[in-house]
Amino acid sequence: MKTRQEYIDSLRRLNLEVYMFGERLTNIVDHPVVRPSMNAVAATYELASGEIMTATSHLSGERINRFTHIHQSTDDLVRKSKMERLMGAYTGTCFQRCAGMDALNTLSVITYDIDQKYGTRYYQRFLKYLRYVQDEDLVCDAAMTDAKGDRRLRPAQQDDPDMYTHVVKEVPDGIIVRGAKLHQTGALNSHEIIVVPTRAMREEDKDYAISFAIPSDTKGVIYIYGRQPSDTRKLEGGTYDVGNLHYGGHECLMVFDDVFVPWERVFMYKEHEFAVDLVEKFASYHRQSYACKSGMGDVLIGATQTIAEYNGIADAPHVKDKIVEMNHLNETIFCCSVACAHEGSRQSSGTYYVNPLMANITKLHVTRVPYELARMAQEIAGGIVVTIPSEKDLRDPKIGRWVDKYMKGVSGVSSEDRMRVVRLIESLTLGAGAVCYLPESMHGAGSPQAQRIMIQRMVNLKAKQTAALRLCGVEQA
Ligand code: SF4
Ligand code: FE
């Protein structure tokens, strides 16, 4: 396994084409806006020891980072949920490495299934690639969401054929692909990009039914950095106005400008009827992964309890009640994630898969709970979340004393400590950190309506009606 430092050094060797604020970036690793997100991924290397964060590879028998592991049991799936909570609480942000793990596991199921139907050799190809990822301990970025254009139209019906990523040409050694993937979490911190389809496909969409992996610095891949609230605070110098001093997340718009993919890295090619299964499996694995948000919830609850103490209101009955409520809600996220893992099952290839109904329940729950926690945190912290002066004003030789004097809460706690906790709550509920905590809870791993559709499809309503009617004596046909 790579050390934290080896991971950082490996990123320096990449030659990515990245743009931010209209300029091409040269040194990405040390860029102050990007660096916190890189630190969060680096933490997945830093903490890689023990039963939760590492596993034994079923290919090599070696100890590997769990983020590159293929689940061999429901115990593995449960450990995955625990790892995500642990990492969420350690970084207080999105650590960006789960979607890649979820894509690897999905492909370990789907490539096998395609081979069973068509006699293709995708699975062996995939296993060779997986071995490389595990041996080199790589970060894989899963690229799923296409631009989609007019949402009413299918891929092949769009005015602009590039609204969904597609193959434009077959060459002897591979394929040329064009299109874009949006909301690419952690793209700049990744060694590999794993592309998968974003929706069900029909026969006429088969040029869009493709899956492949490429090194992140492949020629023709262009990254355009996504803005976040308060992102430029990282450029201001100072220390604590960013809230989270160490970690952050990022997203990119990723463009494929006629990118070559060799055949040995193609894992699905026009088998359009498997796209829906791939999408649903990936979505379910990733919906389980949202245990990460219970880890971030741990941080927000910790900050909220602390600010209640610093404000002198921690003993107020309504505050105590709210802290209990925050814990109750937060634990239910983790309960759901562990439950879908525990109820997982073995697939034909040997990979273990979560219970998809429960995974969708997990994620739908996550689209609500963090917003409720954020509301209670803001209520308890008070209006200071959006009104306190900057760190520079606190340090100013002339006016700093006024800031220090009037930002004071209970005695024994410095104004600066109180302001630091406020900034952390601000970041988690309004600033750059809120992107990872709130909109990501809403839209990451699919927006709520996607989970509702899956729940509607999977839930056995008939059985529930039968149970009810038997008890009240209504005769059933
Ligand atoms: Fe992992 Fe959560 Fe970030 Fe998704 S949102 S990559 S599950 S930390
Ligand atoms: Fe996500």
Side-chain angles (χ1 to χ4, degrees), residues 68-127:
T68 67
H69 184 52
I70 300 298
H71 317 301
Q72 300 298 304
S73 63
T74 52
D75 280 352
D76 266 347
L77 287 166
V78 170
R79 287 191 192 106
K80 177 195 166 198
S81 295
K82 291 182 178 175
M83 170 174 77
E84 280 152 337
R85 182 170 192 174
L86 184 155
M87 287 299 310
Y90 186 73
T91 61
T93 187
C94 167
F95 36 91
Q96 307 146 54
R97 211 176 165 183
C98 324
M101 162 180 57
D102 295 333
L104 290 172
N105 276 276
T106 304
L107 286 172
S108 80
V109 176
I110 299 294
T111 53
Y112 186 91
D113 291 349
I114 300 176
D115 287 356
Q116 294 305 300
K117 178 162 181 190
Y118 288 111
T120 42
R121 306 268 303 154
Y122 290 122
Y123 187 58
Q124 287 311 316
R125 220 184 242 183
F126 168 75
L127 288 182

Short mmCIF file of all heavy atoms in Angstrom, two decimals, residues 68-127:
data_model
loop_
_atom_site.label_atom_id
_atom_site.label_comp_id
_atom_site.label_asym_id
_atom_site.label_seq_id
_atom_site.Cartn_x
_atom_site.Cartn_y
_atom_site.Cartn_z
N THR A 68 -9.97 -0.27 -2.55
CA THR A 68 -9.73 -0.99 -3.81
C THR A 68 -10.23 -2.43 -3.74
O THR A 68 -9.97 -3.23 -4.64
CB THR A 68 -8.22 -1.00 -4.18
OG1 THR A 68 -7.52 -1.80 -3.22
CG2 THR A 68 -7.63 0.39 -4.21
N HIS A 69 -10.93 -2.76 -2.68
CA HIS A 69 -11.31 -4.16 -2.41
C HIS A 69 -12.64 -4.53 -3.08
O HIS A 69 -13.53 -3.70 -3.21
CB HIS A 69 -11.43 -4.33 -0.89
CG HIS A 69 -11.72 -5.73 -0.44
ND1 HIS A 69 -10.98 -6.82 -0.84
CD2 HIS A 69 -12.68 -6.22 0.40
CE1 HIS A 69 -11.48 -7.91 -0.28
NE2 HIS A 69 -12.50 -7.57 0.48
N ILE A 70 -12.75 -5.80 -3.46
CA ILE A 70 -14.02 -6.35 -3.94
C ILE A 70 -14.64 -7.12 -2.77
O ILE A 70 -14.02 -8.04 -2.23
CB ILE A 70 -13.80 -7.28 -5.16
CG1 ILE A 70 -13.16 -6.50 -6.32
CG2 ILE A 70 -15.12 -7.94 -5.60
CD1 ILE A 70 -13.98 -5.34 -6.86
N HIS A 71 -15.86 -6.76 -2.39
CA HIS A 71 -16.49 -7.33 -1.19
C HIS A 71 -16.69 -8.83 -1.34
O HIS A 71 -17.35 -9.30 -2.27
CB HIS A 71 -17.85 -6.65 -0.93
CG HIS A 71 -17.80 -5.16 -1.12
ND1 HIS A 71 -16.95 -4.34 -0.40
CD2 HIS A 71 -18.48 -4.34 -1.96
CE1 HIS A 71 -17.13 -3.08 -0.80
NE2 HIS A 71 -18.04 -3.06 -1.74
N GLN A 72 -16.12 -9.57 -0.37
CA GLN A 72 -16.19 -11.03 -0.41
C GLN A 72 -17.21 -11.60 0.56
O GLN A 72 -17.36 -12.82 0.65
CB GLN A 72 -14.80 -11.61 -0.08
CG GLN A 72 -13.70 -11.19 -1.06
CD GLN A 72 -14.00 -11.66 -2.48
OE1 GLN A 72 -14.19 -12.85 -2.71
NE2 GLN A 72 -14.04 -10.72 -3.43
N SER A 73 -17.89 -10.74 1.30
CA SER A 73 -18.86 -11.22 2.31
C SER A 73 -19.70 -10.03 2.76
O SER A 73 -19.37 -8.88 2.46
CB SER A 73 -18.10 -11.77 3.53
OG SER A 73 -17.34 -10.72 4.12
N THR A 74 -20.76 -10.34 3.51
CA THR A 74 -21.53 -9.22 4.08
C THR A 74 -20.70 -8.50 5.15
O THR A 74 -20.88 -7.30 5.37
CB THR A 74 -22.87 -9.70 4.67
OG1 THR A 74 -22.62 -10.77 5.56
CG2 THR A 74 -23.82 -10.16 3.56
N ASP A 75 -19.78 -9.23 5.79
CA ASP A 75 -18.89 -8.57 6.76
C ASP A 75 -18.08 -7.47 6.08
O ASP A 75 -17.86 -6.40 6.64
CB ASP A 75 -17.92 -9.58 7.39
CG ASP A 75 -18.59 -10.36 8.50
OD1 ASP A 75 -19.73 -10.01 8.87
OD2 ASP A 75 -17.97 -11.33 8.98
N ASP A 76 -17.63 -7.77 4.86
CA ASP A 76 -16.89 -6.75 4.10
C ASP A 76 -17.75 -5.52 3.86
O ASP A 76 -17.29 -4.39 3.98
CB ASP A 76 -16.46 -7.31 2.73
CG ASP A 76 -15.05 -7.89 2.76
OD1 ASP A 76 -14.32 -7.65 3.74
OD2 ASP A 76 -14.69 -8.60 1.80
N LEU A 77 -19.02 -5.76 3.52
CA LEU A 77 -19.92 -4.64 3.25
C LEU A 77 -20.15 -3.81 4.51
O LEU A 77 -20.19 -2.57 4.46
CB LEU A 77 -21.26 -5.15 2.69
CG LEU A 77 -21.22 -5.67 1.25
CD1 LEU A 77 -22.49 -6.46 0.93
CD2 LEU A 77 -21.05 -4.52 0.25
N VAL A 78 -20.30 -4.49 5.64
CA VAL A 78 -20.51 -3.77 6.90
C VAL A 78 -19.25 -2.94 7.24
O VAL A 78 -19.34 -1.78 7.65
CB VAL A 78 -20.85 -4.74 8.05
CG1 VAL A 78 -20.82 -4.03 9.40
CG2 VAL A 78 -22.22 -5.39 7.82
N ARG A 79 -18.10 -3.54 7.00
CA ARG A 79 -16.85 -2.80 7.29
C ARG A 79 -16.74 -1.57 6.39
O ARG A 79 -16.19 -0.55 6.77
CB ARG A 79 -15.62 -3.70 7.12
CG ARG A 79 -15.48 -4.71 8.24
CD ARG A 79 -14.14 -5.41 8.21
NE ARG A 79 -14.19 -6.54 9.13
CZ ARG A 79 -14.25 -7.81 8.72
NH1 ARG A 79 -14.26 -8.12 7.44
NH2 ARG A 79 -14.31 -8.78 9.61
N LYS A 80 -17.24 -1.71 5.18
CA LYS A 80 -17.24 -0.55 4.26
C LYS A 80 -18.05 0.61 4.87
O LYS A 80 -17.60 1.75 4.88
CB LYS A 80 -17.83 -0.98 2.91
CG LYS A 80 -17.95 0.15 1.91
CD LYS A 80 -18.86 -0.23 0.74
CE LYS A 80 -19.26 1.00 -0.06
NZ LYS A 80 -20.43 0.80 -0.92
N SER A 81 -19.25 0.31 5.39
CA SER A 81 -20.06 1.37 6.02
C SER A 81 -19.30 2.00 7.19
O SER A 81 -19.31 3.22 7.36
CB SER A 81 -21.38 0.79 6.56
OG SER A 81 -22.19 0.34 5.51
N LYS A 82 -18.64 1.15 7.98
CA LYS A 82 -17.90 1.67 9.14
C LYS A 82 -16.75 2.55 8.69
O LYS A 82 -16.45 3.58 9.31
CB LYS A 82 -17.38 0.51 10.00
CG LYS A 82 -18.50 -0.23 10.71
CD LYS A 82 -17.95 -1.34 11.60
CE LYS A 82 -19.10 -2.03 12.33
NZ LYS A 82 -18.64 -3.19 13.11
N MET A 83 -16.09 2.12 7.62
CA MET A 83 -14.96 2.90 7.09
C MET A 83 -15.45 4.28 6.66
O MET A 83 -14.79 5.30 6.92
CB MET A 83 -14.35 2.16 5.90
CG MET A 83 -13.34 2.97 5.11
SD MET A 83 -12.52 2.01 3.83
CE MET A 83 -13.79 1.92 2.56
N GLU A 84 -16.62 4.33 6.03
CA GLU A 84 -17.11 5.60 5.51
C GLU A 84 -17.51 6.55 6.64
O GLU A 84 -17.27 7.75 6.57
CB GLU A 84 -18.25 5.35 4.51
CG GLU A 84 -17.65 4.95 3.17
CD GLU A 84 -18.50 4.06 2.31
OE1 GLU A 84 -19.37 3.36 2.84
OE2 GLU A 84 -18.27 4.07 1.09
N ARG A 85 -18.08 5.98 7.69
CA ARG A 85 -18.40 6.85 8.83
C ARG A 85 -17.12 7.37 9.48
O ARG A 85 -17.00 8.55 9.80
CB ARG A 85 -19.24 6.10 9.86
CG ARG A 85 -19.61 7.02 11.00
CD ARG A 85 -20.63 6.45 11.93
NE ARG A 85 -21.13 7.49 12.82
CZ ARG A 85 -22.12 7.32 13.66
NH1 ARG A 85 -22.72 6.14 13.73
NH2 ARG A 85 -22.52 8.30 14.44
N LEU A 86 -16.20 6.46 9.66
CA LEU A 86 -14.92 6.83 10.29
C LEU A 86 -14.24 7.95 9.50
O LEU A 86 -13.80 8.96 10.05
CB LEU A 86 -14.04 5.58 10.32
CG LEU A 86 -12.68 5.55 10.97
CD1 LEU A 86 -12.37 4.11 11.38
CD2 LEU A 86 -11.57 6.04 10.07
N MET A 87 -14.18 7.78 8.19
CA MET A 87 -13.52 8.78 7.34
C MET A 87 -14.29 10.11 7.34
O MET A 87 -13.68 11.18 7.30
CB MET A 87 -13.41 8.27 5.89
CG MET A 87 -12.38 7.19 5.67
SD MET A 87 -10.69 7.69 6.05
CE MET A 87 -10.54 9.22 5.16
N GLY A 88 -15.62 10.03 7.35
CA GLY A 88 -16.43 11.25 7.36
C GLY A 88 -16.19 12.05 8.63
O GLY A 88 -16.11 13.28 8.61
N ALA A 89 -16.06 11.34 9.75
CA ALA A 89 -15.83 12.02 11.03
C ALA A 89 -14.40 12.55 11.11
O ALA A 89 -14.14 13.57 11.74
CB ALA A 89 -16.12 11.08 12.19
N TYR A 90 -13.46 11.85 10.48
CA TYR A 90 -12.05 12.27 10.54
C TYR A 90 -11.80 13.51 9.69
O TYR A 90 -11.06 14.40 10.08
CB TYR A 90 -11.16 11.11 10.07
CG TYR A 90 -9.68 11.37 10.24
CD1 TYR A 90 -9.08 11.36 11.50
CD2 TYR A 90 -8.88 11.64 9.12
CE1 TYR A 90 -7.72 11.61 11.65
CE2 TYR A 90 -7.52 11.88 9.27
CZ TYR A 90 -6.95 11.86 10.53
OH TYR A 90 -5.60 12.12 10.67
N THR A 91 -12.44 13.56 8.53
CA THR A 91 -12.17 14.67 7.60
C THR A 91 -13.25 15.76 7.66
O THR A 91 -13.00 16.88 7.23
CB THR A 91 -12.11 14.16 6.14
OG1 THR A 91 -13.37 13.58 5.79
CG2 THR A 91 -11.01 13.13 5.97
N GLY A 92 -14.45 15.41 8.11
CA GLY A 92 -15.55 16.38 8.11
C GLY A 92 -15.98 16.78 6.71
O GLY A 92 -16.62 17.81 6.51
N THR A 93 -15.64 15.96 5.74
CA THR A 93 -15.95 16.33 4.35
C THR A 93 -16.07 15.06 3.51
O THR A 93 -16.03 13.95 4.03
CB THR A 93 -14.85 17.25 3.80
OG1 THR A 93 -15.26 17.73 2.51
CG2 THR A 93 -13.53 16.54 3.65
N CYS A 94 -16.21 15.26 2.21
CA CYS A 94 -16.21 14.13 1.28
C CYS A 94 -14.77 13.74 0.99
O CYS A 94 -13.97 14.57 0.59
CB CYS A 94 -16.91 14.56 -0.01
SG CYS A 94 -16.69 13.42 -1.38
N PHE A 95 -14.44 12.46 1.19
CA PHE A 95 -13.06 12.00 0.99
C PHE A 95 -12.90 11.34 -0.38
O PHE A 95 -11.86 10.80 -0.71
CB PHE A 95 -12.63 11.08 2.14
CG PHE A 95 -13.76 10.22 2.63
CD1 PHE A 95 -13.95 8.96 2.08
CD2 PHE A 95 -14.63 10.67 3.61
CE1 PHE A 95 -15.01 8.18 2.49
CE2 PHE A 95 -15.70 9.88 4.02
CZ PHE A 95 -15.89 8.64 3.47
N GLN A 96 -13.94 11.37 -1.19
CA GLN A 96 -13.86 11.24 -2.65
C GLN A 96 -13.45 9.88 -3.22
O GLN A 96 -13.28 9.74 -4.42
CB GLN A 96 -12.91 12.31 -3.21
CG GLN A 96 -13.24 13.73 -2.77
CD GLN A 96 -12.00 14.58 -2.59
OE1 GLN A 96 -11.19 14.68 -3.50
NE2 GLN A 96 -11.85 15.17 -1.41
N ARG A 97 -13.24 8.90 -2.36
CA ARG A 97 -12.68 7.66 -2.89
C ARG A 97 -13.70 6.54 -3.00
O ARG A 97 -13.37 5.43 -3.45
CB ARG A 97 -11.49 7.22 -2.01
CG ARG A 97 -10.42 6.49 -2.79
CD ARG A 97 -9.20 6.15 -1.95
NE ARG A 97 -8.38 5.14 -2.61
CZ ARG A 97 -7.29 4.61 -2.12
NH1 ARG A 97 -6.84 5.00 -0.94
NH2 ARG A 97 -6.61 3.67 -2.78
N CYS A 98 -14.96 6.80 -2.59
CA CYS A 98 -15.94 5.71 -2.52
C CYS A 98 -16.54 5.36 -3.87
O CYS A 98 -16.79 4.18 -4.16
CB CYS A 98 -17.08 6.08 -1.57
SG CYS A 98 -16.55 7.01 -0.15
N ALA A 99 -16.78 6.37 -4.71
CA ALA A 99 -17.44 6.08 -5.99
C ALA A 99 -16.57 5.16 -6.83
O ALA A 99 -17.08 4.26 -7.53
CB ALA A 99 -17.74 7.38 -6.72
N GLY A 100 -15.26 5.34 -6.76
CA GLY A 100 -14.34 4.46 -7.49
C GLY A 100 -14.45 3.03 -7.00
O GLY A 100 -14.52 2.07 -7.78
N MET A 101 -14.48 2.87 -5.67
CA MET A 101 -14.65 1.54 -5.07
C MET A 101 -15.98 0.93 -5.50
O MET A 101 -16.06 -0.27 -5.84
CB MET A 101 -14.60 1.68 -3.54
CG MET A 101 -15.15 0.53 -2.74
SD MET A 101 -15.04 0.81 -0.96
CE MET A 101 -15.92 2.34 -0.73
N ASP A 102 -17.01 1.75 -5.53
CA ASP A 102 -18.34 1.25 -5.91
C ASP A 102 -18.38 0.87 -7.39
O ASP A 102 -19.03 -0.11 -7.77
CB ASP A 102 -19.40 2.30 -5.57
CG ASP A 102 -19.51 2.53 -4.06
OD1 ASP A 102 -19.19 1.59 -3.30
OD2 ASP A 102 -19.88 3.64 -3.65
N ALA A 103 -17.67 1.61 -8.22
CA ALA A 103 -17.62 1.27 -9.65
C ALA A 103 -16.86 -0.04 -9.86
O ALA A 103 -17.25 -0.89 -10.68
CB ALA A 103 -16.97 2.40 -10.44
N LEU A 104 -15.76 -0.22 -9.13
CA LEU A 104 -14.99 -1.47 -9.27
C LEU A 104 -15.87 -2.67 -8.90
O LEU A 104 -15.89 -3.69 -9.59
CB LEU A 104 -13.75 -1.44 -8.37
CG LEU A 104 -12.62 -0.47 -8.77
CD1 LEU A 104 -11.57 -0.41 -7.68
CD2 LEU A 104 -11.97 -0.88 -10.10
N ASN A 105 -16.59 -2.54 -7.79
CA ASN A 105 -17.44 -3.65 -7.36
C ASN A 105 -18.57 -3.92 -8.35
O ASN A 105 -18.90 -5.07 -8.64
CB ASN A 105 -17.98 -3.39 -5.95
CG ASN A 105 -16.98 -3.81 -4.89
OD1 ASN A 105 -16.91 -4.97 -4.51
ND2 ASN A 105 -16.14 -2.87 -4.47
N THR A 106 -19.13 -2.85 -8.89
CA THR A 106 -20.20 -3.01 -9.88
C THR A 106 -19.66 -3.74 -11.12
O THR A 106 -20.29 -4.68 -11.62
CB THR A 106 -20.73 -1.62 -10.30
OG1 THR A 106 -21.17 -0.94 -9.13
CG2 THR A 106 -21.89 -1.75 -11.28
N LEU A 107 -18.51 -3.30 -11.59
CA LEU A 107 -17.95 -3.94 -12.79
C LEU A 107 -17.58 -5.40 -12.52
O LEU A 107 -17.64 -6.24 -13.43
CB LEU A 107 -16.74 -3.15 -13.29
CG LEU A 107 -17.10 -1.82 -13.98
CD1 LEU A 107 -15.84 -1.00 -14.26
CD2 LEU A 107 -17.87 -2.06 -15.28
N SER A 108 -17.21 -5.70 -11.28
CA SER A 108 -16.86 -7.10 -10.97
C SER A 108 -18.09 -7.99 -11.06
O SER A 108 -17.97 -9.21 -11.19
CB SER A 108 -16.23 -7.20 -9.57
OG SER A 108 -17.22 -7.19 -8.57
N VAL A 109 -19.27 -7.42 -10.99
CA VAL A 109 -20.51 -8.18 -11.15
C VAL A 109 -20.96 -8.18 -12.62
O VAL A 109 -21.24 -9.23 -13.21
CB VAL A 109 -21.64 -7.59 -10.25
CG1 VAL A 109 -22.96 -8.32 -10.49
CG2 VAL A 109 -21.25 -7.66 -8.79
N ILE A 110 -21.01 -7.00 -13.20
CA ILE A 110 -21.61 -6.83 -14.54
C ILE A 110 -20.76 -7.44 -15.65
O ILE A 110 -21.28 -8.05 -16.58
CB ILE A 110 -21.87 -5.33 -14.83
CG1 ILE A 110 -22.83 -4.75 -13.79
CG2 ILE A 110 -22.40 -5.14 -16.25
CD1 ILE A 110 -24.24 -5.30 -13.84
N THR A 111 -19.43 -7.26 -15.57
CA THR A 111 -18.59 -7.83 -16.65
C THR A 111 -18.76 -9.35 -16.68
O THR A 111 -18.79 -9.95 -17.76
CB THR A 111 -17.10 -7.48 -16.44
OG1 THR A 111 -16.71 -7.86 -15.12
CG2 THR A 111 -16.85 -5.99 -16.64
N TYR A 112 -18.88 -9.96 -15.51
CA TYR A 112 -19.10 -11.42 -15.43
C TYR A 112 -20.43 -11.78 -16.08
O TYR A 112 -20.51 -12.73 -16.88
CB TYR A 112 -19.06 -11.84 -13.96
CG TYR A 112 -19.13 -13.33 -13.75
CD1 TYR A 112 -17.96 -14.09 -13.67
CD2 TYR A 112 -20.37 -13.97 -13.62
CE1 TYR A 112 -18.03 -15.47 -13.48
CE2 TYR A 112 -20.43 -15.34 -13.42
CZ TYR A 112 -19.26 -16.08 -13.35
OH TYR A 112 -19.33 -17.44 -13.17
N ASP A 113 -21.46 -11.02 -15.77
CA ASP A 113 -22.80 -11.30 -16.29
C ASP A 113 -22.86 -11.13 -17.81
O ASP A 113 -23.51 -11.92 -18.51
CB ASP A 113 -23.84 -10.40 -15.62
CG ASP A 113 -24.05 -10.76 -14.15
OD1 ASP A 113 -23.54 -11.82 -13.72
OD2 ASP A 113 -24.69 -9.97 -13.42
N ILE A 114 -22.18 -10.11 -18.33
CA ILE A 114 -22.16 -9.92 -19.80
C ILE A 114 -21.47 -11.12 -20.46
O ILE A 114 -21.96 -11.67 -21.46
CB ILE A 114 -21.45 -8.61 -20.21
CG1 ILE A 114 -22.14 -7.38 -19.60
CG2 ILE A 114 -21.42 -8.47 -21.74
CD1 ILE A 114 -21.43 -6.05 -19.89
N ASP A 115 -20.37 -11.53 -19.87
CA ASP A 115 -19.64 -12.69 -20.42
C ASP A 115 -20.52 -13.94 -20.46
O ASP A 115 -20.46 -14.72 -21.42
CB ASP A 115 -18.39 -13.00 -19.58
CG ASP A 115 -17.28 -11.98 -19.80
OD1 ASP A 115 -17.46 -11.09 -20.65
OD2 ASP A 115 -16.25 -12.09 -19.11
N GLN A 116 -21.32 -14.12 -19.40
CA GLN A 116 -22.20 -15.30 -19.36
C GLN A 116 -23.17 -15.29 -20.53
O GLN A 116 -23.47 -16.32 -21.10
CB GLN A 116 -23.01 -15.33 -18.04
CG GLN A 116 -22.18 -15.53 -16.80
CD GLN A 116 -21.31 -16.78 -16.86
OE1 GLN A 116 -21.81 -17.90 -17.00
NE2 GLN A 116 -20.00 -16.60 -16.81
N LYS A 117 -23.64 -14.12 -20.88
CA LYS A 117 -24.63 -14.04 -21.96
C LYS A 117 -23.98 -14.10 -23.34
O LYS A 117 -24.49 -14.75 -24.25
CB LYS A 117 -25.45 -12.75 -21.82
CG LYS A 117 -26.46 -12.60 -22.94
CD LYS A 117 -27.55 -11.60 -22.62
CE LYS A 117 -28.53 -11.53 -23.80
NZ LYS A 117 -29.47 -10.44 -23.68
N TYR A 118 -22.86 -13.41 -23.51
CA TYR A 118 -22.31 -13.24 -24.87
C TYR A 118 -21.01 -14.00 -25.12
O TYR A 118 -20.48 -13.95 -26.23
CB TYR A 118 -22.08 -11.75 -25.16
CG TYR A 118 -23.37 -10.99 -25.36
CD1 TYR A 118 -23.80 -10.05 -24.43
CD2 TYR A 118 -24.16 -11.21 -26.49
CE1 TYR A 118 -24.99 -9.36 -24.61
CE2 TYR A 118 -25.34 -10.52 -26.68
CZ TYR A 118 -25.76 -9.59 -25.74
OH TYR A 118 -26.92 -8.91 -25.92
N GLY A 119 -20.45 -14.64 -24.10
CA GLY A 119 -19.17 -15.32 -24.29
C GLY A 119 -18.02 -14.35 -24.52
O GLY A 119 -16.99 -14.71 -25.09
N THR A 120 -18.19 -13.11 -24.08
CA THR A 120 -17.12 -12.11 -24.18
C THR A 120 -16.07 -12.37 -23.11
O THR A 120 -16.20 -13.30 -22.31
CB THR A 120 -17.73 -10.70 -24.01
OG1 THR A 120 -18.70 -10.75 -22.95
CG2 THR A 120 -18.40 -10.22 -25.28
N ARG A 121 -15.02 -11.55 -23.07
CA ARG A 121 -13.94 -11.76 -22.11
C ARG A 121 -13.73 -10.53 -21.22
O ARG A 121 -12.62 -10.22 -20.82
CB ARG A 121 -12.63 -12.08 -22.86
CG ARG A 121 -12.72 -13.23 -23.84
CD ARG A 121 -12.33 -14.55 -23.22
NE ARG A 121 -10.98 -14.50 -22.66
CZ ARG A 121 -10.57 -15.28 -21.66
NH1 ARG A 121 -11.42 -16.12 -21.09
NH2 ARG A 121 -9.33 -15.20 -21.22
N TYR A 122 -14.82 -9.85 -20.92
CA TYR A 122 -14.70 -8.62 -20.13
C TYR A 122 -14.21 -8.89 -18.71
O TYR A 122 -13.46 -8.10 -18.15
CB TYR A 122 -16.05 -7.91 -20.04
CG TYR A 122 -16.54 -7.28 -21.32
CD1 TYR A 122 -17.76 -7.66 -21.86
CD2 TYR A 122 -15.80 -6.30 -21.96
CE1 TYR A 122 -18.23 -7.08 -23.02
CE2 TYR A 122 -16.26 -5.72 -23.13
CZ TYR A 122 -17.48 -6.10 -23.65
OH TYR A 122 -17.94 -5.52 -24.79
N TYR A 123 -14.67 -9.97 -18.13
CA TYR A 123 -14.37 -10.20 -16.70
C TYR A 123 -12.86 -10.38 -16.48
O TYR A 123 -12.30 -9.78 -15.55
CB TYR A 123 -15.15 -11.42 -16.20
CG TYR A 123 -15.03 -11.66 -14.71
CD1 TYR A 123 -15.41 -10.68 -13.80
CD2 TYR A 123 -14.53 -12.87 -14.21
CE1 TYR A 123 -15.30 -10.90 -12.43
CE2 TYR A 123 -14.43 -13.08 -12.84
CZ TYR A 123 -14.81 -12.10 -11.95
OH TYR A 123 -14.69 -12.30 -10.60
N GLN A 124 -12.22 -11.20 -17.33
CA GLN A 124 -10.77 -11.39 -17.19
C GLN A 124 -10.03 -10.07 -17.39
O GLN A 124 -9.07 -9.75 -16.69
CB GLN A 124 -10.26 -12.44 -18.19
CG GLN A 124 -10.64 -13.87 -17.84
CD GLN A 124 -10.32 -14.22 -16.39
OE1 GLN A 124 -9.24 -13.89 -15.87
NE2 GLN A 124 -11.25 -14.88 -15.72
N ARG A 125 -10.49 -9.31 -18.37
CA ARG A 125 -9.94 -7.99 -18.64
C ARG A 125 -10.07 -7.09 -17.41
O ARG A 125 -9.13 -6.42 -17.00
CB ARG A 125 -10.80 -7.37 -19.75
CG ARG A 125 -10.07 -6.61 -20.77
CD ARG A 125 -11.11 -6.02 -21.71
NE ARG A 125 -10.95 -6.51 -23.06
CZ ARG A 125 -11.70 -6.10 -24.07
NH1 ARG A 125 -12.68 -5.24 -23.88
NH2 ARG A 125 -11.48 -6.55 -25.27
N PHE A 126 -11.25 -7.14 -16.82
CA PHE A 126 -11.50 -6.32 -15.64
C PHE A 126 -10.60 -6.74 -14.47
O PHE A 126 -10.04 -5.91 -13.76
CB PHE A 126 -12.98 -6.39 -15.22
CG PHE A 126 -13.20 -5.79 -13.87
CD1 PHE A 126 -13.18 -4.41 -13.69
CD2 PHE A 126 -13.37 -6.60 -12.75
CE1 PHE A 126 -13.33 -3.85 -12.43
CE2 PHE A 126 -13.51 -6.05 -11.49
CZ PHE A 126 -13.50 -4.67 -11.33
N LEU A 127 -10.47 -8.07 -14.28
CA LEU A 127 -9.66 -8.55 -13.15
C LEU A 127 -8.20 -8.12 -13.30
O LEU A 127 -7.53 -7.81 -12.31
CB LEU A 127 -9.74 -10.07 -13.04
CG LEU A 127 -11.08 -10.64 -12.54
CD1 LEU A 127 -10.98 -12.17 -12.43
CD2 LEU A 127 -11.49 -10.04 -11.20
#
